[in-house]
Amino acid sequence: MNLTVSTARITAIGSYVPEKKLTNADLEQMVDTSDEWIVQRTGMRERRIAGENEYSSTMAYKAVEDLVSRYGQDLTDVDCIIVSTTTPDYAFPSVACQIQGYFHIPSTAAFDLNATCAGFTYALHMANGLITSGLHRKVLVVAAETLSRVTDYTDRSTCILFGDGAAAVLVEKDEQRPSFIAAHLGTNGEGGIHVYRTNLSTTMNGEELLTSEKMVQNGREVYKWATRTVPQGVETLLEQAGMTAGDVNWFVPHSANFRMVESICEKAGIPVEKTLTSMEYYGNTSSVSIPLALQLGLDEGKLQNGDTLLLYGFGGGLTHAGLILKWDLDARG
C-alpha cells in the first residue's frame, strides 16, 4: 500500500523477559526430544517462562518501565496505548487498560489487538496511521505474551518453540524525522485452521477443533505458507520504497524458528547475516519476537541510528505485515 508521507517517529524502546529459563536439557526430561534435534531444526537453546504471578500485564509494566529508565521518557502525555497480545490476563479489561491504570496516564485511548505473531508490526502500522492522520501525537505500543500458559507440554512439536516476554516502543509526532517508509499487510483467513487456540466455538468451517485451550499448530503448513508469502511481501515492500535488498541494513523477521528465517532470506535475496532475531535464547515469543530482536541488536551494538530496517511479522490468522523503517531513537536518558 502507498503510505501518506509519515509524520511519526519511533523514539524509545524497552523490554522484559522473565528470569526462569526453559532449556533444551529441561525439555529432554519432558518429551521425546534432544538438544541436537531442537537446535538443528529451530536454532533455539532456551526460552523464558513467566513466573507464577507473572502475566502479560505485569511483564508489560516492566517493559514500559525499562523504556522509561533507558530514555527518560514522560508517559503523562501518551494519548493512545496499543497492546499486541494473544494471551491477555482477562477477556476484559484489556492489558492496555491495565497499563493506563498502573502508570496513571491521565487521558488516553487504550485497546488490545490480536494479530498473533504479526501483532507488533500491525500495532506500529496503526500507531503511524493515528499520528500521521493528526488524530494522536504520542502512542505507546506494547507487545506482551505468556505463551507458556497456552502451550501443550506433551506435544513435542510445539512445546520446544514458545517463550514469554514483553517489549514496548514509543511512537511520537515528528514531521522532520519520520520513521515509516513503506508498509505491506495481508491475510489468508482460509489458513486459520493451521494454527489456532479455541475459545467459544469448537468448530471452524465445519471442522471439529481440539478444545484443550492450548495452541494447536500444523507446522508443515504454516512453514510452507510463511516461506512463500514473506519473500513476496519483502519484494512488494522494496518495490514500494524504490529500494533493493542491498539498501536494507537489517532484516528483522518474526523469530518463528531459524530454519524458517534462513529459507525466507534465501528466497528474498537477503543474507542471513543481515538479520536480527531473538529465538536462540528467548524462543518464539509471537508478537514480542521482533522488538526483542531490536533490543538485542541495540544491546549488542549492531543496530544504529540511521539504519534502514525491514520488519516482517507473520503468523496465526493467517496474518502478515511488513514495514520499512528508518531507525532514529532519542538519545538515552
Side-chain angles (χ1 to χ4, degrees):
M1 63 184 63
N2 293 320
L3 289 183
T4 301
V5 176
S6 175
T7 60
R9 180 169 64 90
I10 300 169
T11 60
I13 188 171
S15 64
Y16 171 78
V17 292
E19 290 186 12
K20 182 181 177 181
K21 297 177 181 179
L22 180 65
T23 67
N24 291 349
D26 295 329
L27 287 164
E28 288 177 343
Q29 306 304 310
M30 298 164 63
V31 291
D32 182 15
T33 192
S34 69
D35 173 69
E36 181 182 7
W37 190 91
I38 296 171
V39 172
Q40 184 180 35
R41 284 163 177 77
T42 71
M44 298 174 187
R45 301 180 187 277
E46 296 177 356
R47 310 117 199 95
R48 297 299 181 95
I49 304 298
E52 183 179 355
N53 297 314
E54 284 188 309
Y55 295 90
S56 291
S57 63
T58 53
M59 292 191 296
Y61 303 158
K62 291 178 180 179
V64 175
E65 288 171 342
D66 183 54
L67 179 153
V68 171
S69 68
R70 287 173 185 263
Y71 294 91
Q73 290 281 0
D74 177 17
L75 301 181
T76 58
D77 58 344
V78 166
D79 58 12
C80 186
I81 303 168
I82 305 173
V83 175
S84 168
T85 185
T86 64
T87 52
D89 309 19
Y90 319 107
F92 53 86
S94 67
V95 175
C97 286
Q98 293 173 267
I99 291 172
Q100 181 278 328
Y102 183 86
F103 291 100
H104 306 291
I105 299 171
S107 180
T108 184
F111 62 93
D112 292 358
L113 66 80
N114 177 356
T116 59
C117 305
F120 180 70
T121 43
Y122 262 69
L124 281 182
H125 182 65
M126 292 188 70
N128 175 48
L130 290 169
I131 291 173
T132 298
S133 69
L135 295 175
H136 291 269
R137 296 189 62 86
K138 191 171 185 178
V139 181
L140 179 62
V141 171
V142 181
E145 298 288 0
T146 48
L147 297 177
S148 62
R149 289 199 168 91
V150 296
T151 295
D152 181 356
Y153 285 101
T154 67
D155 178 5
R156 68 173 185 167
S157 68
T158 59
C159 73
I160 64 172
L161 299 174
F162 299 108
D164 302 332
V169 298
L170 268 180
V171 187
E172 300 187 60
K173 184 81 171 180
D174 191 331
E175 297 181 7
Q176 304 305 315
R177 299 156 59 193
S179 295
F180 297 82
I181 297 170
H184 174 67
L185 293 82
T187 308
N188 177 21
E190 296 87 350
I193 194 76
H194 297 314
V195 53
Y196 65 84
R197 180 163 63 93
T198 55
N199 191 4
L200 299 181
S201 177
T202 60
T203 64
M204 188 185 301
N205 301 327
E207 291 190 43
E208 291 288 331
L209 303 178
L210 298 177
T211 56
S212 66
E213 298 186 0
K214 303 296 186 182
M215 279 187 289
V216 178
Q217 177 170 271
N218 183 332
R220 184 183 301 273
E221 290 299 321
V222 174
Y223 184 97
K224 288 195 297 185
W225 169 78
T227 55
R228 179 180 67 251
T229 302
V230 176
Q232 292 172 349
V234 168
E235 182 180 359
T236 299
L237 275 171
L238 292 171
E239 288 177 356
Q240 184 187 132
M243 294 180 176
T244 68
D247 297 319
V248 174
N249 296 103
W250 295 106
F251 177 43
V252 194
H254 164 49
S255 289
N257 75 63
F258 192 66
R259 298 300 162 245
M260 188 180 291
V261 170
E262 281 187 321
S263 177
I264 289 169
C265 285
E266 181 179 356
K267 293 179 180 179
I270 298 174
V272 73
E273 295 78 18
K274 292 178 67 173
T275 61
L276 299 176
T277 62
S278 57
M279 84 279 286
E280 184 175 7
Y281 292 102
Y282 297 146
N284 178 337
T285 52
S286 188
S287 64
V288 190
S289 76
I290 288 176
L292 282 182
L294 294 171
Q295 185 75 74
L296 287 169
L298 281 172
D299 293 346
E300 294 169 1
K302 296 178 179 178
L303 182 53
Q304 304 290 330
N305 275 1
D307 283 351
T308 298
L309 311 183
L310 198 161
L311 278 52
Y312 217 108
F314 52 91
L318 298 167
T319 57
H320 62 103
L323 300 170
I324 295 179
L325 305 174
K326 182 66 70 174
W327 192 250
D328 188 10
L329 300 189
D330 285 348
R332 296 279 289 262

